[in-house]
Amino acid sequence: MITMKDIVLEGHPVLREVAKEVILPASEEDVAIAKKMLEYLINSQDPEISAQYGLRPGIGLAAPQINVSKRIIAVHLTDDKGTLYSYGLFNPKIISHSVEKAYLSSGEGCLSVDRPVPGYVPRYSRITVTGTTIEGENIKLRLKGLPAICFQHEIDHINGIMFYDHINNEDPLAPIPGAIEITK
């Protein structure tokens, strides 16, 4: 089981690497990594389990965050309509995106960042993602709202990008022109 001690913090060099493609079909080891990452997210959202093991709640996790430089992400969240997005994905890619931007009104957080980072993170409001599931199925997901933001955050991780790289340093809370504000 992954716990907070397994999650590397900002400043660790793996978080700035472009992660390696996962050779498909995924090895048993890679499938186990993806399953453990997804399990962490599910456990972290359970108040009893997260309290027992001291887990910070999360909705997404990328393999570099557990010091594995591979293109693996896990997400576990529901959208504003109650649809559950629960995936471990190998080699996820954004294949298309909207021109329109969106941002979280509360800003973004990260399990690898142990401090508050105020500021709006501009993201695409709608994206289409492809990837291969833990079961080996190639999927295409059309996402908007919080799921779109979460997937962009995790795909950034496998490209060595941190969420705060997108924040306007001069004025972190400056309105993003024409962007949709998303509240969690």
Side-chain angles (χ1 to χ4, degrees):
M1 179 175 137
I2 294 173
T3 63
M4 289 308 297
K5 70 175 173 33
D6 301 305
I7 294 175
V8 298
L9 297 177
E10 62 181 321
H12 193 292
V14 74
L15 293 174
R16 290 301 187 173
E17 290 174 14
V18 174
K20 293 167 194 62
E21 289 272 321
V22 173
I23 296 164
L24 299 172
S27 67
E28 282 181 29
E29 178 190 0
D30 289 339
V31 167
I33 289 167
K35 284 181 175 175
K36 279 187 191 154
M37 288 166 52
L38 190 56
E39 176 192 51
Y40 173 90
L41 296 174
I42 293 166
N43 287 343
S44 79
Q45 293 175 33
D46 179 306
E48 266 180 43
I49 297 173
S50 66
Q52 182 181 353
Y53 294 101
L55 308 178
R56 276 180 57 202
I59 59 172
L61 189 63
Q65 292 180 271
I66 56 167
N67 202 16
V68 175
S69 192
K70 291 186 176 182
R71 299 183 82 77
I72 306 170
I73 68 167
V75 297
H76 185 78
L77 75 155
T78 51
D79 67 12
D80 55 358
K81 293 180 176 64
T83 303
L84 175 65
Y85 295 86
S86 187
Y87 294 98
L89 286 182
F90 302 110
N91 305 326
K93 279 189 187 71
I94 297 171
I95 59 164
S96 68
H97 61 78
S98 62
V99 173
E100 183 178 54
K101 298 282 188 174
Y103 64 94
L104 284 180
S105 59
S106 58
E108 292 183 24
C110 179
L111 292 169
S112 292
V113 178
D114 239 353
R115 61 189 173 95
V117 182
Y120 298 139
V121 181
R123 300 285 188 187
Y124 299 116
S125 67
R126 292 177 309 285
I127 59 170
T128 301
V129 173
T130 59
T132 304
T133 66
I134 290 170
E135 297 77 29
E137 178 190 354
N138 292 324
I139 60 165
K140 183 192 280 191
L141 299 168
R142 287 183 178 79
L143 305 163
K144 64 181 185 174
L146 184 59
I149 288 174
C150 179
F151 274 83
Q152 288 172 83
H153 180 113
E154 300 314 324
I155 290 170
D156 270 359
H157 270 305
I158 61 176
N159 290 317
I161 299 166
M162 299 294 283
F163 76 93
Y164 48 71
D165 297 343
H166 298 289
I167 295 173
N168 175 344
N169 287 330
E170 264 103 71
D171 190 355
L173 298 173
I176 300 166
I180 298 170
E181 182 180 346
I182 295 171
T183 54
K184 280 193 237 182

